[in-house]
Amino acid sequence: MVLTGRERDERMEPIVIVENLMKSYKKRKTKEVIHAVKDVSFTVNRGEILGLLGPNGAGKTTTIKMICGLLTPDSGLITINGLNNQKKRLASLRQISAVLEGNRNLYWRLTVRENLEYFAGNRGESRKDIAERVDDLLQKFHLKGKENELVNRLSRGMQQKLAIAVAMLADSEVILLDEPTLGLDVETGYEVRELLREIVKTYNRTIIISTHDMDVVQDLCERTVIINKGQIVTDDKVANLLRLFDVRSYKVTLGGLLSDRQQELLEQKFPSYGYSPDTFQSILEVDLEQSEEIYELFDILKIETTPVESIDRKTINFEQIFMKIVKGDMSDVLVQSS
Amino acid sequence: MYWFNLLKANTKKEYLELKRYLPNTLALVLTFYIIFLGMFFGIQIIGDPTTQDINIQFAIVNYIFWFLAMMVINNIGWQITNEAMRGTLEQLCMSPMGLWKIMLSRLIASTVINFILIIALLYLSMFTSGQWLNVDVLAIKPIFVLTIISMFGLGFIIAGISIILKQVQAFLQILQFILAGLTFVPLSVAPMLAFFPFVKGVDLVRDVMIDGVTLSQIAAVDFMILAFNAVFYFIGGLLFFFFCERVAMNKGLLAHY
């Protein structure tokens, strides 16, 4: 897809602005104050798919609830398409729709079409006005033919697709999806991902995805915001993060053991190196700060002319990156990158 | 137009759910009828024969209003509890129409649908007992509308409590008996109850249906009390609901999620 200059500018325009968000709770029994969200700020650009990630209890759900207008922040500001979601809550809710609990967001004793019509009616739209859009969505989401089926008779994948279709029908600029592929088989998960990609492409919607499925993030999201202990630890493009972590990790397979001298030098030069000794085939794992350091690694190996069987650049997936970020292993790297 | 579409959507949903949960609906109607039969035969067997007719008429009107009060007031509490359990409550809370408008349209929708049921039950009760009440639509209509408005106010209070507490089943069970007390106790016994929601209305409907009072015979002060109750409870209930909604939003209780 080739974007014109204006389209590119529009895409860069932030549609969701979260500024200095704070929220704390008091534990009922101990009265202990829990700071669920501490000074969280980020933006989401128009037409972007943003991954909002974090381990359980990181403050992700609290942030989502505040963006959706379901929870009032202690302080801070959320603007959705130019509307302050606290001062103009109802108007801002026209700009956002969400699937927060997947198939549980539907009425199981109503049919597919009835669900679509009911939720549209709840936003004040008439059946007549949405008829065309309903048909279009049924077609797009492969639910045509199932429209008169009760939701409780649908497969989980279809229910999930319907929940997303309901959010789409709202015609809002921003769609927030919490765990859109949770509990889906590989094929349906793939289908949902393709659908989301198409939503962004065809309808130019902005999507915020909160998920624990890192494949979804790697596959779909352009950018990711990672929250841990109530604070943002990373806000960067997925491709940047992959590149950043990818170039520095090498796995060297050796045809023998390293000498004490070599290990000493490795300790000095690459303190975080990993070594699995084996008489016939040892494995050496090294993280390099600069790619030129590979020559220094070769120098160390050359001292004893240790046979090198192979050198592999370790392919790191997003799940590993996420774990490293959340554990705080790579804070130095992230500081450098920012 | 937004309002009308909202009301239409919720009326259709109420109707569809009543239809889809047909055994439930039938059980409800049957239970109502069986309890009525119990009361009817109870009055006939152990009641004073000289006041038997009037007692049966009294029982029919009170029982019908109790059923209506339960359907309107209790039902909204059950609905919120169910929506929270199903996981659909947060979708309602995210409607740009505002949760209170959805709740109001639900109250109106369930009143309209249950009203049809109640009319059928009223005639079934009259047919069974052989006691034909004076159904003066002209007189009953304004009383009924004002009474229902105060019931809506009480419905908003229950909805507000349900949003915060969610698990209000036990409270709703108790509320049934409070509502029974309010509908069954005549104003002549406790005149101050006139300022309680819907008590004055039930009393006036009793006057029309049992004693044959006409619209012109009803004192202006009675209508003023009715109107005052309607405005007071509706606005009070709505304000209480807004307060509960704000508390829920601060504490993160607005959704099961």
Side-chain angles (χ1 to χ4, degrees):
Chain A
M1 186 175 61
V2 181
L3 296 173
T4 65
R6 191 178 165 189
E7 280 169 338
R8 246 192 315 272
D9 289 347
E10 271 182 7
R11 274 184 71 106
M12 290 311 291
E13 177 202 340
I15 191 163
V16 178
I17 305 169
V18 176
E19 289 173 275
N20 311 108
L21 217 54
M22 303 277 261
K23 184 74 193 178
S24 48
Y25 296 104
K26 209 179 257 180
K27 274 191 177 173
R28 201 178 287 174
K29 281 182 185 166
T30 57
K31 301 283 175 207
E32 183 195 349
V33 177
I34 307 289
H35 298 283
V37 172
K38 290 180 269 185
D39 202 25
V40 163
S41 300
F42 63 92
T43 58
V44 190
N45 295 326
R46 197 181 291 273
E48 183 180 35
I49 305 184
L50 177 95
L52 187 60
L53 316 175
N56 291 333
K60 201 172 32 138
T61 304
T62 307
T63 308
I64 290 170
K65 277 187 177 182
M66 288 191 276
I67 296 173
C68 291
L70 294 171
L71 181 65
T72 312
D74 293 341
S75 64
L77 195 67
I78 298 167
T79 315
I80 302 166
N81 208 13
L83 295 163
N84 180 331
N85 91 332
Q86 286 154 72
K87 285 187 182 155
K88 293 188 174 174
R89 182 173 175 267
L90 296 183
S92 76
L93 284 176
R94 286 223 174 265
Q95 310 297 323
I96 191 163
S97 53
V99 181
L100 300 178
E101 291 196 72
N103 56 353
R104 293 189 69 240
N105 277 172
L106 301 165
Y107 290 96
W108 286 33
R109 284 300 193 105
L110 297 186
T111 66
V112 169
R113 187 177 276 276
E114 284 161 0
N115 263 286
L116 286 162
E117 287 173 354
Y118 175 67
F119 283 110
N122 257 351
R123 295 177 79 93
E125 297 190 70
S126 76
R127 263 176 72 185
K128 214 172 129 194
D129 292 345
I130 55 155
E132 217 172 283
R133 264 156 55 212
V134 166
D135 285 334
D136 178 43
L137 285 170
L138 289 171
Q139 196 82 51
K140 278 244 149 58
F141 284 71
H142 308 294
L143 290 166
K144 202 85 186 168
K146 297 274 178 192
E147 58 199 280
N148 296 317
E149 197 92 45
L150 288 180
V151 169
N152 63 0
R153 292 192 190 141
L154 298 179
S155 67
R156 176 146 189 167
M158 283 197 176
Q159 290 171 342
Q160 187 72 16
K161 282 195 281 183
L162 176 61
I164 299 171
V166 167
M168 279 291 296
L169 190 63
D171 217 10
S172 56
E173 293 275 351
V174 184
I175 301 172
L176 211 151
L177 304 169
D178 194 12
E179 297 289 359
T181 54
L182 185 73
L184 302 184
D185 59 48
V186 178
E187 197 186 337
T188 320
Y190 178 77
E191 210 183 323
V192 168
R193 275 190 247 174
E194 288 305 305
L195 266 173
L196 297 177
R197 225 190 297 274
E198 202 177 326
I199 289 169
V200 172
K201 206 170 119 186
T202 318
Y203 301 92
N204 195 30
R205 304 286 173 86
T206 307
I207 298 183
I208 303 174
I209 297 178
S210 163
T211 182
H212 287 111
D213 185 347
M214 295 303 145
D215 286 343
V216 170
V217 179
Q218 197 165 346
D219 187 30
L220 271 183
C221 301
E222 289 163 48
R223 197 160 58 89
T224 175
V225 170
I226 301 178
I227 300 179
N228 195 21
K229 293 174 187 162
Q231 286 173 311
I232 291 184
V233 285
T234 307
D235 178 351
D236 205 346
K237 291 198 168 176
V238 173
N240 283 353
L241 288 172
L242 284 168
R243 208 177 310 124
L244 195 71
F245 284 80
D246 200 28
V247 291
R248 295 189 166 91
S249 292
Y250 285 88
K251 182 181 163 189
V252 184
T253 310
L254 305 167
L257 294 163
L258 290 172
S259 68
D260 291 345
R261 172 76 185 133
Q262 281 175 309
Q263 289 186 51
E264 213 173 278
L265 287 168
L266 281 169
E267 184 67 47
Q268 282 168 18
K269 188 66 203 163
F270 310 107
S272 64
Y273 84 100
Y275 178 49
S276 314
D278 187 282
T279 322
F280 300 107
Q281 198 177 60
S282 302
I283 304 287
L284 176 64
E285 289 180 315
V286 186
D287 286 346
L288 308 181
E289 278 180 21
Q290 306 287 327
S291 37
E292 296 80 41
E293 286 176 340
I294 191 106
Y295 301 114
E296 292 176 46
L297 176 66
F298 288 150
D299 289 342
I300 296 170
L301 296 175
K302 237 168 72 182
I303 296 172
E304 306 285 347
T305 55
T306 313
V308 176
E309 290 187 349
S310 66
I311 300 175
D312 299 299
R313 207 166 75 180
K314 246 169 75 183
T315 44
I316 190 161
N317 61 25
F318 199 77
E319 189 165 331
Q320 290 163 303
I321 295 174
F322 174 75
M323 289 309 295
K324 283 188 176 214
I325 292 170
V326 166
K327 281 182 180 170
D329 292 355
M330 303 308 287
S331 50
D332 52 333
V333 178
L334 294 169
V335 168
Q336 279 173 33
S337 87
S338 61
Chain B
M1 208 57 193
Y2 278 168
W3 260 102
F4 182 63
N5 292 334
L6 179 71
L7 183 62
K8 237 169 54 179
N10 280 288
T11 310
K12 190 179 172 190
K13 183 191 159 282
E14 287 291 308
Y15 166 71
L16 286 172
E17 292 213 318
L18 214 65
K19 207 171 85 175
R20 300 273 152 80
Y21 293 93
L22 194 62
N24 241 10
T25 313
L26 290 176
L28 187 80
V29 172
L30 205 66
T31 309
F32 173 91
Y33 189 60
I34 290 168
I35 294 175
F36 171 74
L37 286 181
M39 286 198 310
F40 172 60
F41 288 118
I43 292 168
Q44 275 203 328
I45 295 164
I46 56 167
D48 180 359
T50 56
T51 56
Q52 206 173 69
D53 287 356
I54 198 83
N55 283 345
I56 290 170
Q57 290 171 1
F58 201 82
I60 292 173
V61 177
N62 291 346
Y63 191 47
I64 287 282
F65 259 89
W66 180 42
F67 187 69
L68 181 69
M70 279 201 300
M71 288 295 104
V72 175
I73 300 165
N74 247 15
N75 194 30
I76 201 78
W78 288 111
Q79 283 203 19
I80 287 177
T81 309
N82 283 339
E83 299 267 358
M85 281 195 309
R86 281 170 177 168
T88 43
L89 184 62
E90 82 243 358
Q91 287 296 323
L92 303 185
C93 297
M94 280 188 69
S95 163
M97 296 295 289
L99 187 58
W100 78 272
K101 284 183 193 157
I102 296 177
M103 288 300 134
L104 182 59
S105 56
R106 289 261 177 109
L107 282 166
I108 295 171
S110 70
T111 304
V112 169
I113 290 169
N114 285 305
F115 185 73
I116 298 164
L117 260 182
I118 278 164
I119 293 294
L121 286 168
L122 173 69
Y123 277 91
L124 186 66
S125 307
M126 289 196 292
F127 176 75
T128 311
S129 61
Q131 297 289 335
W132 294 94
L133 298 163
N134 171 37
V135 185
D136 178 356
V137 179
L138 197 71
I140 293 171
K141 210 162 82 179
I143 302 169
F144 184 78
V145 170
L146 289 170
T147 308
I148 281 290
I149 292 172
S150 70
M151 277 190 189
F152 284 179
L154 204 56
F156 271 120
I157 293 173
I158 302 302
I161 294 170
S162 307
I163 275 179
I164 291 184
L165 301 175
K166 304 283 190 324
Q167 301 300 314
V168 288
Q169 289 92 333
F171 169 71
L172 293 176
Q173 303 278 11
I174 297 166
L175 185 71
Q176 287 183 41
F177 298 106
I178 297 171
L179 294 176
L182 290 175
T183 42
F184 278 82
V185 177
L187 274 184
S188 52
V189 176
M192 278 315 288
L193 285 181
F195 291 97
F196 275 60
F198 71 82
V199 179
K200 183 74 184 169
V202 182
D203 199 59
L204 289 174
V205 170
R206 270 196 300 255
D207 288 348
V208 174
M209 293 181 86
I210 299 170
D211 302 330
V213 172
T214 60
L215 185 63
S216 57
Q217 288 172 311
I218 298 171
V221 69
D222 287 334
F223 267 114
M224 277 162 72
I225 293 173
L226 262 188
F228 172 79
N229 282 349
V231 173
F232 178 80
Y233 284 105
F234 187 80
I235 293 176
L238 199 56
L239 290 175
F240 181 78
F241 181 79
F242 288 146
F243 169 75
C244 291
E245 197 182 12
R246 220 174 43 232
V247 170
M249 276 181 70
N250 277 322
K251 293 191 171 183
L253 307 168
L254 210 48
H256 172 76
Y257 172 63

